[in-house]
Amino acid sequence: MIAEYPADLLAEVKQKTADRQLAGFTPGQGMLHPDLMLVGEAPGRHEEKVNIPFSGASGQELIKFVSSIGYSRETVYITSVVRQRPYSVKRVKDKKTGEVIEKTPNRTPTKKEVLAFGPLFDWELAMVQPRIIVPLGNTALQRLLGSRANIGKLHGQLIERPIQKVTADHRGYQFTAEKHLLVPMYHPAAVLYARRLEPVIREDWLALGRIVKTIKD
Ligand code: URA
């Protein structure tokens, strides 16, 4: 299932991000009430083109890990805290022609951008109602557990805590009264930048497989 976000929330995002360098719009997708809801940072260039979350290089890594514990793209829900591709504009000289060309590489979303998409993400989480939320990397983790949370410390562990939701005026966050189950993971792109993390991430996913089994039994 592909998320169909409420029009008023989409209009609010549009208004709050009008002056920002953000491209495309990739909706979250997958199964409702799944065991796992995987939450990334923001779509990249490939996702912007095809509108499928985690369908580029880091997505291929992610799906390998998902399959290693018996799930697939169809049996989990996949989204990210920001739904558009954040980019910066760089002017670089083409090595062959010497011509100055404009490039628009991906960048990490700012805190303000993550907050602008906050109501959309809260709506999505309330609709999906996963058993376990799996934040992938620090951007998603800190959106959920606050800016002091660190993926290097929390990866692969089961955490039961209140999570951040946007406040009624949509200007900040507050913690929920109820607790949620989370298992934070390194972002799959980490494998592409630091191969040494691959065995750690593989182990974390196997641990997640065991955790879900225990919770369901
Ligand atoms: N990184 C993310 O966080 N999400 C995507 O969809 C792709 C890359």
Side-chain angles (χ1 to χ4, degrees), residues 48-113:
E48 181 199 340
K49 273 201 205 112
V50 302
N51 272 342
I52 300 172
F54 277 106
S55 49
S58 51
Q60 282 173 23
E61 294 296 331
L62 179 65
I63 299 304
K64 264 192 246 163
F65 294 125
V66 168
S67 317
S68 75
I69 59 166
Y71 291 89
S72 66
R73 187 178 278 283
E74 289 71 36
T75 56
V76 298
Y77 188 90
I78 306 182
T79 190
S80 52
V81 292
V82 165
R83 304 252 50 81
Q84 294 183 276
R85 179 174 79 89
Y87 64 91
S88 48
V89 179
K90 297 227 157 76
R91 277 167 218 288
V92 290
K93 221 180 211 178
D94 188 288
K95 280 191 191 121
K96 279 191 202 136
T97 62
E99 204 187 327
V100 175
I101 50 170
E102 205 171 84
K103 293 216 164 183
T104 55
N106 298 344
R107 62 172 170 80
T108 304
T110 63
K111 287 204 162 67
K112 210 168 162 184
E113 288 163 349

Side-chain angles (χ1 to χ4, degrees), residues 80-204:
S80 52
V81 292
V82 165
R83 304 252 50 81
Q84 294 183 276
R85 179 174 79 89
Y87 64 91
S88 48
V89 179
K90 297 227 157 76
R91 277 167 218 288
V92 290
K93 221 180 211 178
D94 188 288
K95 280 191 191 121
K96 279 191 202 136
T97 62
E99 204 187 327
V100 175
I101 50 170
E102 205 171 84
K103 293 216 164 183
T104 55
N106 298 344
R107 62 172 170 80
T108 304
T110 63
K111 287 204 162 67
K112 210 168 162 184
E113 288 163 349
V114 174
L115 179 60
F117 281 88
L120 222 56
F121 178 75
D122 288 345
W123 175 86
E124 197 169 22
L125 178 59
M127 181 193 63
V128 175
Q129 292 186 24
R131 268 184 216 266
I132 300 178
I133 308 171
V134 182
L136 303 165
N138 267 327
T139 304
L141 178 67
Q142 292 172 358
R143 161 64 174 84
L144 288 157
L145 293 186
S147 55
R148 283 199 295 270
N150 188 296
I151 200 70
K153 291 212 179 96
L154 299 178
H155 67 94
Q157 292 175 37
L158 176 65
I159 295 166
E160 187 171 12
R161 284 197 206 163
I163 57 168
Q164 289 195 139
K165 266 182 90 162
V166 290
T167 50
D169 64 6
H170 293 183
R171 292 161 78 110
Y173 300 103
Q174 69 192 17
F175 280 95
T176 54
E178 78 283 359
K179 291 180 179 171
H180 292 256
L181 294 179
L182 299 97
V183 178
M185 292 284 176
Y186 281 110
H187 192 283
V191 172
L192 305 173
Y193 302 123
R195 278 279 154 199
R196 69 185 161 75
L197 277 179
E198 189 174 9
V200 179
I201 301 179
R202 210 179 323 124
E203 261 314 304
D204 285 349

Side-chain angles (χ1 to χ4, degrees), residues 3 8-9 37 50 82:
D8 58 329
L9 296 184
M37 175 170 173
V50 302
V82 165

